């Protein structure tokens, strides 16, 4: 089974740091065990006859199933297959695990799908990405991205030596490859990824050639340190049902003279070419499509918890509670509608790839940054103080105060035990470290939302909306408005 193979493959000498220590035997470490068991189960879905068709597709060349994120969609059915696979993995994890590698895999799939177009940037690109894509697909490689440069002083750029030296850059070129030094933040899933997909989010200048690169770097590379944030993984699933299984770890990456073989250097040394690759519509549409499908599952989960809480305490009949629960439904429908629009308005690119509409996807990613904090706010308003009116452990139900526990924690429609369980689940969403991390994630995973919204405006063909206004005003200056007014009157 490929889930077991995945866990085994992680004992490869990688340098993962947590709580001041290097992590040994990562799959068994308490900070990762629960999450890795979840990933193992998801990977095994590809081997199971009942689920492999839903999350994967058959690859005739290898005679086995690969995850649908590797499928290049060339028909509406294939695009729908990708969508269904993203939705299935997301709903299996209540939308709480966003970087199950299907996003980063979709970037690689996009590069492969657009390889002919992108080989204009580098004649070796098509060959290198084909070889890597096939390897990643056939060996079920887990991938993640690290795109953002470290947050040191955002008012400065590479003209400042302190910044230039710390942002990831090439210190040496050798016959075998390039040698990298510097850092990257943040890479979710970093401790248990096979490879990192690396490039920068910044618009570099031509002279910044040492910082301009697009790379795929193995996590076990010599000199690469994966520095984890505090673990939010909980051991007791009954008390922390989400933290016990879905804490996907975020980490910073330190590159202490890491050699990256030329075969893994997709682009290097040309800021304009890196920018062109980053802006490729086929790649971005296929990858960001996953983000939005995944988000539907998370909104449905939050709404489900909020509905259950309202019912459990007899609050679902209050008008203002109904209004708020209705708002959660509008959130789900808005994002769902944008997913449907992106898929039904998909267009074939020159290589025959069916590319979802990026505008609808970007709208969903922007609006999602506001939807999620609001969804959590609604959940807080519905459950109110009840979230802290829970015992520290469900163990109290089995101890000397058991009878009192059953009496005083009782709900309107559910037993005391069920109600406490439900509130613990809700607390993991709104109040636990994992819950807080998710609010930060939804605000920022797609980049700075301020610049995200601004980009929507900046890239919009504004004349479409302004032309009718200028025409109307032209009419007005000829007395057109008075005419319109008379007609209406
Ligand atoms: C939980 C979590 C997981 C993540 N996982 C990943 C991952 O797996 N891979 C990955 O690549 N990234 C990941 N990210 C990083 C994410 O992409 C960034 O957080 C996001 O792009 C914002 O960048 P920043 O955090 O560096 O904020 P900054 O850019 O440092 O912004 C800080 C503040 O300064 C303002 N600001 C900064 N610069 C400007 C400017 N030029 N113009 C206007 N305002 C500015 C911002 O609006 C903001 O208010 C993750 C983030 C989070 C929170």
């Amino acid at each position: 089974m490929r889930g077991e193979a995945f866990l085994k493959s992680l004992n490869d000498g990688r340098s993962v740091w947590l709580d001041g220590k290097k992590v040994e035997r990562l799959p068994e470490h308490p900070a990762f065990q629960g999450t890795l068991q979840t990933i193992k189960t998801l990977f095994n879905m590809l081997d199971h006859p009942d689920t492999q068709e839903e999350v994967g597709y058959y690859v005739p060349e290898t005679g086995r199933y690969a995850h649908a994120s590797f499928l290049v969609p060339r028909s509406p059915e294939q695009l729908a297959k990708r969508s269904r696979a993203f939705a299935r993995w997301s709903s299996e994890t209540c939308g709480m695990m966003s970087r199950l590698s299907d996003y980063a895999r979709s970037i690689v799939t996009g590069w492969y799908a657009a390889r002919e177009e992108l080989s204009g940037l580098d004649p070796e690109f098509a060959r290198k990405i084909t070889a890597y894509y096939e390897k990643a697909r056939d060996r079920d490689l887990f991938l993640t991205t690290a795109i953002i440069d470290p947050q040191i002083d955002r008012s400065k750029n590479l003209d400042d030596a302190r910044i230039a030296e710390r942002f990831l850059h090439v210190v040496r070129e050798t016959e075998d490859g390039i040698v990298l030094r510097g850092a990257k933040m943040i890479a979710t899933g970093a401790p248990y990824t096979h490879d990192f997909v690396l490039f920068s989010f910044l618009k570099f200048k031509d002279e910044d050639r040492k910082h301009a690169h697009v790379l795929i770097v193995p996590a076990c590379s010599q000199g690469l340190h994966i520095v984890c944030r505090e673990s939010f993984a909980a051991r007791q699933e009954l008390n922390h049902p989400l933290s016990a299984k879905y804490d996907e770890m975020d980490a910073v990456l330190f590159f202490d003279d890491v050699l990256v073989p030329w075969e893994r250097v997709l682009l290097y040394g040309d800021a304009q070419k890196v920018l062109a690759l980053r802006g490729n519509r086929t790649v971005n549409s296929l990858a960001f499509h996953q983000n939005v499908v995944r988000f539907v599952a998370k909104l449905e989960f939050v709404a489900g918890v909020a509905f259950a809480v309202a019912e459990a305490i007899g609050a679902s009949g209050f008008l203002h509670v109904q209004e708020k629960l209705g708002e959660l439904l509008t959130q789900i429908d808005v994002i769902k509608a944008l997913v449907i629009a992106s898929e039904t308005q998909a267009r074939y690119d020159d290589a025959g790839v069916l590319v979802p509409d990026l505008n609808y996807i970007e709208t969903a990613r922007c609006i999602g940054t506001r939807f999620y904090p609001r969804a959590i706010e609604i959940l807080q308003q519905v459950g109110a103080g009840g979230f802290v009116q829970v015992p520290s452990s469900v163990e109290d139900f089995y101890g000397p105060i058991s009878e009192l526990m059953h009496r005083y924690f009782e709900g309107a429609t559910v037993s005391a035990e069920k109600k406490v369980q439900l509130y613990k689940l809700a607390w993991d969403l709104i109040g636990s470290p994992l819950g807080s991390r998710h609010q930060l994630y939804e605000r920022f995973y797609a980049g700075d939302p301020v610049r995200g919204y601004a980009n929507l405006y900046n890239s919009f063909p504004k004349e479409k909306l302004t032309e009718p206004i200028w025409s109307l005003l032209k009419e007005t200056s000829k007395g057109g408005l008075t005419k319109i007014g008379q007609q209406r009157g």
Side-chain angles (χ1 to χ4, degrees), residues 99 144-149 151 154 185-188 250 437 440-441 444-445 447-448 450-451:
R99 301 293 167 108
T144 194
T145 59
I147 295 168
I148 305 301
D149 298 289
Q151 196 183 46
R154 291 293 192 230
M185 75 168 244
I186 305 163
T188 301
D250 309 292
R437 183 253 177 217
L440 201 64
Y441 181 86
F444 286 108
Y445 83 90
D448 178 6
V450 173
R451 282 168 278 170

Side-chain angles (χ1 to χ4, degrees), residues 180-232:
L180 290 173
R181 194 179 296 167
K184 277 302 215 189
M185 75 168 244
I186 305 163
T188 301
Y192 44 82
T193 196
H194 289 122
D195 287 333
F196 292 104
V197 173
L198 300 178
F199 51 91
S200 180
F201 203 59
L202 296 177
K203 282 184 186 155
F204 291 132
K205 289 185 270 185
D206 288 345
E207 56 268 34
D208 300 328
R209 62 180 301 276
K210 294 204 175 304
H211 289 80
H213 45 244
V214 178
L215 315 166
I216 300 177
V217 177
C220 61
S221 298
Q222 191 77 28
L224 172 54
H225 299 284
I226 300 168
V227 184
C228 301
R229 63 154 162 78
E230 180 185 343
S231 167
F232 306 144

Side-chain angles (χ1 to χ4, degrees), residues 389-404:
Q389 182 217 296
V390 284
S392 58
S393 169
V394 290
E395 289 299 318
D396 288 329
F397 280 107
Y398 313 107
I401 56 167
S402 168
E403 200 193 315
L404 299 173

Side-chain angles (χ1 to χ4, degrees), residues 124-192:
E124 285 288 288
F125 184 88
R127 184 189 62 74
K128 287 183 186 176
I129 197 61
T130 301
Y132 182 76
Y133 162 82
E134 288 174 357
K135 179 178 171 186
R137 179 195 66 190
D138 302 340
R139 297 193 190 171
D140 307 297
L141 293 189
F142 194 102
L143 311 178
T144 194
T145 59
I147 295 168
I148 305 301
D149 298 289
Q151 196 183 46
I152 294 168
D153 181 346
R154 291 293 192 230
S155 68
K156 302 267 180 359
N157 56 29
L158 294 181
D159 296 338
D160 186 307
R162 199 164 67 106
I163 300 297
E165 182 201 307
R166 285 163 176 78
F167 281 17
L168 192 65
H169 63 285
V170 175
V171 284
R172 254 188 340 272
E173 292 173 33
T174 74
E175 219 173 89
D176 298 326
I178 53 176
V179 177
L180 290 173
R181 194 179 296 167
K184 277 302 215 189
M185 75 168 244
I186 305 163
T188 301
Y192 44 82

Side-chain angles (χ1 to χ4, degrees), residues 251-317:
V252 174
L253 310 179
F254 295 165
F255 293 78
D256 191 17
D257 289 6
V258 174
L259 174 73
V260 181
W262 286 115
E263 200 55 28
R264 297 293 194 103
V265 179
L266 297 180
L267 282 184
Y268 164 54
D270 189 321
Q272 296 316 315
K273 287 181 177 172
V274 170
L275 199 63
L277 185 85
R278 230 191 64 196
N280 185 276
R281 223 177 157 81
T282 299
V283 181
N284 291 339
S285 300
L286 292 183
F288 299 163
H289 177 227
Q290 182 277 343
N291 300 169
V292 185
V293 173
R294 187 268 319 163
F295 191 51
V296 172
K298 193 165 189 177
L299 289 178
E300 285 179 339
F301 179 64
V302 177
V305 173
F307 289 10
V309 165
E311 281 169 25
I313 58 168
S316 56

Side-chain angles (χ1 to χ4, degrees), residues 215-447:
L215 315 166
I216 300 177
V217 177
C220 61
S221 298
Q222 191 77 28
L224 172 54
H225 299 284
I226 300 168
V227 184
C228 301
R229 63 154 162 78
E230 180 185 343
S231 167
F232 306 144
R235 286 193 174 211
Q236 291 178 312
E237 195 176 335
L238 274 177
N239 287 321
H240 304 280
L242 303 175
S243 306
K245 290 188 297 198
Y246 307 137
D247 179 25
E248 46 184 11
M249 178 58 85
D250 309 292
V252 174
L253 310 179
F254 295 165
F255 293 78
D256 191 17
D257 289 6
V258 174
L259 174 73
V260 181
W262 286 115
E263 200 55 28
R264 297 293 194 103
V265 179
L266 297 180
L267 282 184
Y268 164 54
D270 189 321
Q272 296 316 315
K273 287 181 177 172
V274 170
L275 199 63
L277 185 85
R278 230 191 64 196
N280 185 276
R281 223 177 157 81
T282 299
V283 181
N284 291 339
S285 300
L286 292 183
F288 299 163
H289 177 227
Q290 182 277 343
N291 300 169
V292 185
V293 173
R294 187 268 319 163
F295 191 51
V296 172
K298 193 165 189 177
L299 289 178
E300 285 179 339
F301 179 64
V302 177
V305 173
F307 289 10
V309 165
E311 281 169 25
I313 58 168
S316 56
F318 299 127
L319 181 63
H320 85 92
V321 172
Q322 291 172 345
E323 178 231 10
K324 290 179 175 63
L325 299 179
E327 188 180 334
L328 293 179
L329 289 173
T330 64
Q331 288 190 341
I332 297 168
D333 275 354
V334 167
I335 302 296
K336 254 192 197 166
L338 287 165
V339 171
I340 294 168
S342 79
E343 291 171 2
T344 51
Q345 298 292 304
R347 294 277 175 274
Y348 289 98
D349 72 5
D350 291 343
V353 181
L354 187 56
V355 181
D357 185 291
L358 189 56
N359 294 340
Y360 290 120
I361 291 173
E362 286 292 25
T363 296
R365 288 188 351 136
C366 276
I367 207 166
T369 66
R370 295 183 180 172
F371 273 9
Y372 191 73
R374 174 66 183 143
I376 294 301
E377 183 182 41
I378 289 175
L379 183 52
Q380 285 173 336
Q381 287 168 330
V382 172
F387 292 120
V388 285
Q389 182 217 296
V390 284
S392 58
S393 169
V394 290
E395 289 299 318
D396 288 329
F397 280 107
Y398 313 107
I401 56 167
S402 168
E403 200 193 315
L404 299 173
M405 291 285 294
H406 284 282
R407 182 183 309 167
Y408 294 120
F409 280 119
E410 201 177 48
T413 55
V414 291
S415 70
E417 227 174 319
K418 263 287 161 271
K419 182 167 146 248
V420 166
Q421 248 181 317
L422 173 67
Y423 268 68
K424 285 203 172 281
L425 176 69
W427 181 252
D428 230 1
L429 264 179
I430 64 164
S432 70
L434 185 86
S436 303
R437 183 253 177 217
H438 273 270
Q439 290 189 52
L440 201 64
Y441 181 86
E442 296 302 346
R443 279 184 202 273
F444 286 108
Y445 83 90

